[in-house]
Amino acid sequence: MVYNIHLNMRKINKIPKPLRMSQKSVLDYVDIDPNLLKEKDSWYFVNSRVSFFKKRGDVRIAGEFISKAYATALGNDTASYEVVELEEKVGLLSENFQDKSRFGYFDFCQLHQLFPSLPQRYNYFTLKEILNTFGYHYDEETTHNLQYSLIERYMFEWFTHQLDGNPRNTNFKLDKDSQLLQLGPVFDKEQAFGVNESGLFDEKKLEMWMPSIPYDDLSFRDKPYQIDGLDANILSLIMDYPDMSVEILEKIFQIDYMSILRKFRSGENAFNLPPETLSYLQGVVDRKKNEKEKILQLV
């Protein structure tokens, strides 16, 4: 069975006369690869703020908002999103969260600029190598904080079952004054909970999780590998960082996920979840609960 959402057009804000930005002007405000900008060039000035718009009218809207709600419950910073109608298209409008005057920004594809020991191509290194690299460059406290935040982000992606893991959608920000490195906010997590290529929830997609990058050499991005029916990325991560990972795992499952889902069944929102979709999403979380119990038995 395939699941969907209902859009409430009466609750969707219409943006009058948006000012589209040129690629050159975007680069004044956003630290983004110019080649990537050619693909993602729908930037606008809205209410005097730089914002990105992506056309969406399907369950990817729900995936984005529910992922944001879970990330917020974990204490993570997130991008802001609003369902709008812009130039007669319905989609998600997100205000630019970067502050180039204070920070430099680096995604997985650019980490070699910070850590020359890493290869220049992200698909030649793993999360395990990144976690180890922190320890080579920073003191114990900074290393712990970076490892904790990145492991939490990785496990969050597993919990929300992201299927379009994109290394460009995990970034770090470097304070230009203090040189303190931190994980950036959660953003662009729309393909969550089994969203298929057509923008529909599809339970057939729950058999495979696609992380941003593999954890180690056992878990190749395009050839998911399992151990005892569990994803090898998560299991290997927990085996290597048991105390930190189990703490994060328990933290994730302390979230009142049903209260989050219930927020999106009301007709007061720009979209709402029909009962069958709500039941499906609850089933996804229950499935993760079962995986968690199996993991804890193996650790």
Side-chain angles (χ1 to χ4, degrees):
M1 182 175 180
V2 175
Y3 305 87
N4 213 327
I5 63 170
H6 295 152
L7 291 177
N8 186 353
M9 297 304 297
R10 294 182 294 105
K11 296 292 182 178
I12 294 177
N13 184 28
K14 293 185 178 182
I15 307 297
K17 299 181 180 179
L19 177 61
R20 187 155 189 161
M21 300 174 65
S22 68
Q23 293 184 17
K24 182 179 179 181
S25 62
V26 171
L27 292 172
D28 291 335
Y29 297 90
V30 185
D31 199 341
I32 184 173
D33 185 328
N35 292 321
L36 181 62
L37 181 57
K38 293 177 182 178
E39 303 172 17
K40 299 180 179 292
D41 65 346
S42 51
W43 290 83
Y44 296 82
F45 271 118
V46 177
N47 297 325
S48 301
R49 296 180 178 180
V50 177
S51 300
F52 178 71
F53 176 77
K54 54 184 179 182
K55 179 184 175 183
R56 296 290 184 268
D58 51 49
V59 297
R60 287 173 292 183
I61 291 176
E64 197 74 81
F65 273 89
I66 298 172
S67 293
K68 173 181 169 62
Y70 277 123
T72 300
L74 282 172
N76 288 209
D77 291 333
T78 68
S80 62
Y81 289 99
E82 181 184 4
V83 184
V84 301
E85 184 178 337
L86 187 150
E87 295 182 338
E88 301 183 350
K89 300 173 185 176
V90 172
L92 291 169
L93 187 71
S94 177
E95 183 182 332
N96 174 39
F97 55 76
Q98 292 189 3
D99 182 355
K100 288 183 64 175
S101 66
R102 290 187 56 202
F103 300 98
Y105 294 87
F106 305 85
D107 59 37
F108 274 147
C109 302
Q110 300 166 317
L111 282 181
H112 63 278
Q113 297 176 29
L114 292 174
F115 310 114
S117 61
L118 291 174
Q120 292 194 22
R121 294 182 62 186
Y122 75 88
N123 50 331
Y124 280 84
F125 60 82
T126 63
L127 180 68
K128 184 174 183 177
E129 290 176 287
I130 296 173
L131 294 172
N132 289 336
T133 297
F134 291 152
Y136 304 148
H137 290 80
Y138 299 108
D139 60 37
E140 185 176 346
E141 181 180 0
T142 303
T143 296
H144 176 272
N145 291 340
L146 284 169
Q147 289 178 339
Y148 189 97
S149 60
L150 189 53
I151 289 173
E152 183 181 75
R153 183 68 53 85
Y154 204 72
M155 295 181 76
F156 158 78
E157 291 190 0
W158 162 79
F159 174 74
T160 54
H161 206 83
Q162 302 290 329
L163 287 179
D164 187 25
N166 187 336
R168 294 192 180 278
N169 291 347
T170 299
N171 67 18
F172 297 82
K173 59 181 184 180
L174 180 69
D175 190 296
K176 293 180 179 180
D177 293 329
S178 68
Q179 293 299 293
L180 176 66
L181 184 69
Q182 297 174 285
L183 191 62
V186 175
F187 69 100
D188 201 4
K189 301 298 181 186
E190 62 180 30
Q191 255 188 280
F193 307 103
V195 173
N196 65 19
E197 297 81 1
S198 300
L200 298 168
F201 287 126
D202 189 344
E203 54 196 348
K204 293 180 182 178
K205 293 294 184 179
L206 297 178
E207 301 300 324
M208 181 188 302
W209 172 54
M210 297 295 286
S212 302
I213 60 174
Y215 173 71
D216 58 24
D217 292 335
L218 283 176
S219 310
F220 295 100
R221 174 178 164 79
D222 296 322
K223 297 179 181 179
Y225 182 69
Q226 293 189 337
I227 300 173
D228 194 26
L230 298 168
D231 181 84
N233 293 283
I234 286 296
L235 196 56
S236 298
L237 169 62
I238 293 176
M239 292 296 185
D240 287 347
Y241 294 87
D243 294 341
M244 199 180 298
S245 297
V246 170
E247 177 185 331
I248 293 169
L249 194 64
E250 296 290 0
K251 180 182 176 182
I252 287 173
F253 283 92
Q254 286 173 1
I255 295 173
D256 186 356
Y257 66 91
M258 280 308 298
S259 68
I260 290 176
L261 294 178
R262 281 194 290 267
K263 292 178 181 178
F264 299 106
R265 69 180 183 183
S266 168
E268 295 303 310
N269 301 311
F271 71 92
N272 67 285
L273 303 172
E276 62 273 14
T277 302
L278 191 66
S279 177
Y280 163 79
L281 290 169
Q282 181 178 353
V284 175
V285 177
D286 289 341
R287 183 185 185 119
K288 293 296 182 181
K289 280 185 175 180
N290 293 334
E291 291 181 24
K292 171 206 168 189
E293 295 307 317
K294 289 181 67 176
I295 288 171
L296 292 180
Q297 290 175 9
L298 294 172
V299 174

